[in-house]
Amino acid sequence: MPFSRLSAARAAKWGACALTTLCLSWAATPALAQKSGGTLRLFHRDSPASGSIHEEATISVVMPFSAVFNNLIRFNQHEKQNRPEFIEPELAESWKWNDDYTRLTFKLRDGVKWHDGKPFSAADVKCTWDMLLGKSQDKLRLNPRKAWYRNLDDVVTEGNDTVTFVLKRPQPAFTMLLASGFSPVYPCHVPAAEMRQKPIGTGPFKFVEYKRNEHIKFVKNKDYWKQELPYLDAIEWTIIPNRSTQTLAFIAGQFDMTFPYEQTVQTTKDVQSQAPNAICELEPTIMAFNFLVNRDDPPFNNPDLRKAMMLTIDRKAFINIISEGKGQIGGAMQPPPAGLWGLPPEILQTLPGYGPDVEKSRAEGRKLMEKHGYGPNNRLKVKVATRNIGQYRDPAIVLIDQLKHIYIDGELEVVETANWFPKIARKDFTLGANLTGSGVDDPDAYFYEHYACGSERNYTNYCNPELEKMYEQQSREPDQEKRKKIVWEIDKILTEDAARPIVFLYNLGTCRYPHVKNVTTNINSVFNSWRFEDAWLDK
């Protein structure tokens, strides 16, 4: 469902506050029958490594800790699809591009305070992005989205209330990156190490406590700059790694809401049969199950072996086994209609491993393996590492089964969440079974974060200098239809090169009881709707 070129251009060029009705929308929303008070109770699927959104790469961090922070701009929290015309002001009152999309200037909101009472200013914005660029003395331990800002040259302040992002070249979609839940503003006066343990923000909730394997707790920010918000007194996440235990606890009424996008087709059915009053939404997501191949180490430095693995994949079987037929088949970008940029089915079917004749593809894959000495009597034994979460483990087992068809015998190696992303970031694996998402459904995020040479999140070390030129070409292009054609060509090449083979994209569920009001899940992001500032409990 492509967005309108006209509306996208307006949103990109002048900022949401140029449109009076949109500028006032956040203020007009809380006007119905909302009730203040109460604690929103959710379960959390695991123990995140820290509370620092800028240093982590998982929904396990951004989902609970988003309530602590604000962005300069963000996506409307109640639109199902993240699109440029749905970007709204937050810490910035307004923003405007220069004529060639190389300078983006924000006028900041006055009177905002950090949770410790210190005033927010343009210096905090500069400090945050200087740290992301590696320019500051204070360093991030991990910097998963540094690749997003390759085109950012400098951040310039004018007094306390104006800040300009200076880009090296035109990048009209830069606002999409800033609107993501992965783009909060950090305080200058709080060291990065402290933000991992006791994060301080300007957001609707203050951090209270995080105990590994127990809970994460937040309390209402009574001095929040949006008057009368938030409605909730507190948010509590109880950590329950076991999926069956999670579901039973929700059915028993111990929680108001599940961990978003954690419910499978099967557990959604369980909830609906045993708690028929619960509201469950099973929707497309941006979360793609894929396998990581260490391209630098033998034997998978051989492109024939990588192609053979592409050819053995039966994507429909994955979706049938894991999700009872509910899922999406796509390339690097999320497919339409949920995704804005993905390849249409008629193009996908022409790519290796996407055709309808799986057995024919597997026969071709076996020939490639036999060419290098592998066969029924000389099978390749490898470990397949994955994160110790059901959404990773379950399809990893199916992957191992399908690899057997091309003489590869895999052994499952499970890794706890705190160790998983550091492990794959340092390329400490031969094969990995991973879930890939992106903070925002835009090629500037996807391509630079996951496939650009040298990116921390480019776990397979894929590097194609010629393709890098196309990344820049699409990034410069303001005409969305022209940009889409370039994006499709890039997607085809990434898929043919087995850069990070995408197997399928999950449809996942979120359940809540009817008394939970004003919470919206997205269909092309899992990271951007968790401020909870105007959520409320009708009980």
Side-chain angles (χ1 to χ4, degrees), residues 71 73-79 81-90 175-181 340 439-442 522 524-525 527-529 531:
N71 290 17
I73 53 178
R74 65 163 191 192
F75 294 105
N76 183 302
Q77 299 287 281
H78 301 297
E79 293 285 354
Q81 193 175 47
N82 290 165
R83 299 159 67 94
E85 59 265 41
F86 297 150
I87 295 175
E88 297 182 341
E90 199 165 34
T175 50
M176 293 287 283
L177 307 181
L178 297 182
S180 164
L340 301 175
V440 62
D441 183 14
D442 189 87
N522 296 143
N524 66 333
S525 176
F527 302 105
N528 300 334
S529 293
R531 201 70 84 221

Side-chain angles (χ1 to χ4, degrees), residues 268-284:
T268 299
K269 288 181 178 179
D270 291 339
V271 169
Q272 290 178 322
S273 65
Q274 298 181 57
N277 62 324
I279 300 167
C280 293
E281 296 177 286
L282 186 73
E283 298 175 305

Side-chain angles (χ1 to χ4, degrees), residues 234-457:
I235 305 174
E236 293 185 2
W237 301 76
T238 301
I239 297 168
I240 304 178
N242 183 275
R243 182 177 283 167
S244 297
T245 306
Q246 295 168 357
T247 302
L248 289 172
F250 176 76
I251 291 170
Q254 295 178 25
F255 300 104
D256 304 298
M257 183 173 168
T258 64
F259 188 91
Y261 312 106
E262 182 66 9
Q263 300 306 110
T264 65
V265 174
Q266 297 90 335
T267 60
T268 299
K269 288 181 178 179
D270 291 339
V271 169
Q272 290 178 322
S273 65
Q274 298 181 57
N277 62 324
I279 300 167
C280 293
E281 296 177 286
L282 186 73
E283 298 175 305
T285 74
I286 206 167
M287 303 307 296
F289 177 74
N290 56 96
F291 60 93
L292 307 177
V293 184
N294 195 326
R295 304 167 67 93
D296 298 329
D297 291 347
F300 296 113
N301 58 344
N302 186 321
D304 283 346
L305 269 64
R306 298 197 298 269
K307 185 175 181 181
M309 288 191 292
M310 284 285 290
L311 290 166
T312 197
I313 298 301
D314 183 347
R315 289 171 170 79
K316 288 186 178 179
F318 267 92
I319 291 175
N320 289 337
I321 294 168
I322 301 299
S323 302
E324 297 184 12
K326 306 288 187 182
Q328 310 158 74
I329 295 176
M333 302 295 296
Q334 185 183 11
L340 301 175
W341 298 99
L343 287 167
E346 60 270 21
I347 297 179
L348 269 179
Q349 290 178 8
T350 68
L351 302 177
Y354 285 86
D357 192 337
V358 175
E359 288 309 314
K360 180 180 178 181
S361 294
R362 285 177 173 169
E364 184 182 345
R366 285 191 288 270
K367 287 181 181 179
L368 290 171
M369 296 293 289
E370 290 162 1
K371 174 182 172 182
H372 297 282
Y374 297 102
N377 299 318
N378 183 29
R379 301 180 69 86
L380 176 59
K381 298 183 183 300
V382 297
K383 286 190 175 182
V384 180
T386 197
R387 186 176 173 187
N388 193 18
I389 291 177
Q391 289 175 6
Y392 288 65
R393 289 191 313 266
D394 296 347
I397 292 168
V398 179
L399 174 64
I400 288 171
D401 184 65
Q402 293 196 4
L403 290 174
K404 291 177 182 177
H405 292 279
I406 55 167
Y407 316 126
I408 297 177
D409 292 334
E411 177 188 350
L412 189 66
E413 176 191 5
V414 295
V415 181
E416 295 305 317
T417 287
N419 300 323
W420 173 243
F421 289 104
K423 178 182 176 71
I424 58 178
R426 64 178 182 265
K427 315 300 185 282
D428 181 18
F429 64 91
T430 302
L431 290 182
N434 189 43
L435 255 63
T436 291
S438 185
V440 62
D441 183 14
D442 189 87
D444 282 5
Y446 266 91
F447 295 154
Y448 286 104
E449 182 176 353
H450 298 303
Y451 301 103
C453 304
S455 169
E456 187 174 296
R457 288 263 279 161

Side-chain angles (χ1 to χ4, degrees), residues 56-223:
E56 305 297 343
T58 170
I59 190 175
S60 295
V61 174
V62 73
M63 189 172 289
F65 287 95
S66 282
V68 173
F69 297 102
N70 292 120
N71 290 17
L72 288 169
I73 53 178
R74 65 163 191 192
F75 294 105
N76 183 302
Q77 299 287 281
H78 301 297
E79 293 285 354
K80 295 293 288 183
Q81 193 175 47
N82 290 165
R83 299 159 67 94
E85 59 265 41
F86 297 150
I87 295 175
E88 297 182 341
E90 199 165 34
L91 290 177
E93 288 184 340
S94 62
W95 63 99
K96 186 175 182 179
W97 283 103
N98 67 345
D99 289 339
D100 67 354
Y101 294 99
T102 58
R103 295 179 68 90
L104 178 61
T105 299
F106 293 92
K107 179 71 168 60
L108 304 182
R109 198 173 299 280
D110 186 40
V112 177
K113 292 183 179 180
W114 295 100
H115 292 159
D116 59 7
K118 292 186 173 11
F120 159 76
S121 75
D124 296 303
V125 180
K126 179 172 176 57
C127 280
T128 300
W129 271 270
D130 279 355
M131 193 159 52
L132 288 166
L133 292 175
K135 290 184 175 182
S136 62
Q137 290 186 342
D138 197 11
K139 302 298 182 185
L140 297 172
R141 179 183 55 186
L142 296 170
N143 194 353
R145 283 159 299 282
K146 184 178 181 180
W148 283 16
Y149 302 109
R150 286 187 174 195
N151 187 40
L152 178 59
D153 187 48
D154 199 6
V155 179
V156 179
T157 62
E158 300 173 43
N160 289 326
D161 65 352
T162 304
V163 62
T164 297
F165 286 71
V166 182
L167 306 180
K168 300 170 187 175
R169 57 160 175 80
Q171 189 179 2
F174 191 74
T175 50
M176 293 287 283
L177 307 181
L178 297 182
S180 164
F182 275 121
S183 302
V185 181
Y186 274 18
C188 258
H189 61 280
V190 180
E194 187 174 333
M195 292 295 285
R196 295 172 203 141
Q197 305 302 321
K198 297 179 181 179
I200 289 176
T202 57
F205 294 90
K206 294 182 177 182
F207 172 76
V208 175
E209 184 179 55
Y210 169 33
K211 287 190 176 181
R212 292 183 61 81
N213 301 313
E214 293 187 26
H215 59 245
I216 311 171
K217 294 184 178 182
F218 306 92
V219 68
K220 176 177 184 173
N221 176 12
K222 295 180 180 179
D223 298 318

Side-chain angles (χ1 to χ4, degrees), residues 508-522:
L508 293 169
T510 306
C511 297
R512 65 184 185 275
Y513 285 105
H515 61 259
V516 178
K517 303 295 185 181
N518 235 19
V519 174
T520 303
T521 53
N522 296 143

